[in-house]
Structures are given as structure tokens and as C-alpha cells.
Amino acid sequence: MLFTRECDYAIRIIRALSSEEAVSVPKICQMENLPSAMTYKITRKLEKSGLLKSYRGSSGGYALARSLSSISLYDICEIVSPDILTFECMKKDHYCPMNRSDAPCKVHYEFSRLRKILVQELKGKSMADILR
């Protein structure tokens, strides 16, 4: 249950773009104290997913493609770190000898239960709610 640095940076990028105007990557880096290379990498992921739109040219940069009210913390983290909050044994095709249908693993069950609660909480508030 580790939130990655990439997830943290992605949330900060969205915060930098909350004015809904196009902002250049160097300006985002300055506003949020982020490293340039990582910021470029993350903005490309966010753009590819449809969360950001890019503008080319001298006054170009990135802007939100969706409203802040339609973006949750979960949405952002899921884009940049899809396996966040998932232990190896919880992955779909992973075989765990300690978690069989005839003898379910109680630890696996508990982590799954906690993950559901955390995902629900991450989806529960929009970035608009958080940034107010």
C-alpha cells in the first residue's frame, strides 16, 4: 500500500493545472517544485489517458481535459501507477499456494477488504472538493 512518487507528482501536476488554463511544463515544475524529466513523463501519461490536453507552440503547455469535479485521487493514481494498492498475491493471474478455494488465505482476504475501503475513499471526493 505504497503511494508512489509518480502518483504524488501526478496529483501535484493536476493541482498546478487547476486554474484550467494551459501551463507549460517548466512552469508546472516551478509551481510544484518537480523535476523536469519526471514531469514530462507523467504529463504524457495523463494526456494519453485523456485527463490532460496539450497545446503546442510558444504559449503551449498542458491543461485539464476534464473538470476537476470529475477527477478523483483514484483516477490520477490509477493512470500513473495501475498496480497501486495491490500486493503480488492479489494480482489476477498470480497463483498463491496459501490462497486456495478449499482453504482461503485470511491475510489475502483482509488486504482485499482494506484495498476496497481505500479505493472507495480515494474515489469519494473530487479534486475540486479537495482543492477548495
Side-chain angles (χ1 to χ4, degrees):
M1 267 190 235
L2 176 68
F3 288 95
T4 64
R5 181 174 301 180
E6 194 172 8
C7 184
D8 171 38
Y9 290 178
I11 293 165
R12 291 162 61 185
I13 289 167
I14 298 299
R15 179 174 58 194
L17 299 173
S18 63
S19 69
E20 299 181 9
E21 295 177 10
V23 180
S24 69
V25 170
K27 181 72 172 168
I28 293 169
C29 294
Q30 179 187 23
M31 292 168 69
E32 294 291 336
N33 195 28
L34 298 174
S36 180
M38 190 75 136
T39 303
Y40 277 106
K41 176 184 170 187
I42 295 168
T43 53
R44 283 192 297 274
K45 281 186 181 184
L46 295 172
E47 179 186 15
K48 186 178 178 182
S49 73
L51 214 57
L52 301 183
K53 52 188 169 188
S54 65
Y55 297 93
R56 307 290 178 219
S58 61
S59 61
Y62 287 93
L64 296 176
R66 293 172 31 195
S67 69
L68 281 175
S69 61
S70 71
I71 301 170
S72 70
L73 289 173
Y74 179 81
D75 296 331
I76 300 166
C77 291
E78 181 66 20
I79 290 166
V80 296
S81 302
D83 287 333
I84 199 166
L85 309 176
T86 304
F87 291 98
E88 188 68 28
C89 75
M90 297 168 75
K91 292 183 180 176
K92 185 179 179 189
D93 295 327
H94 180 78
Y95 170 73
C96 177
M98 301 304 292
N99 187 33
R100 302 181 319 263
S101 58
D102 63 325
C105 175
K106 292 180 174 145
V107 174
H108 176 94
Y109 172 80
E110 184 62 13
F111 279 132
S112 294
R113 185 188 73 77
L114 292 171
R115 182 184 187 283
K116 285 178 188 173
I117 293 168
L118 192 49
V119 166
Q120 181 180 359
E121 289 296 316
L122 289 170
K123 289 179 176 182
K125 282 189 177 178
S126 72
M127 286 300 293
D129 295 331
I130 294 166
L131 294 176
R132 280 190 199 148

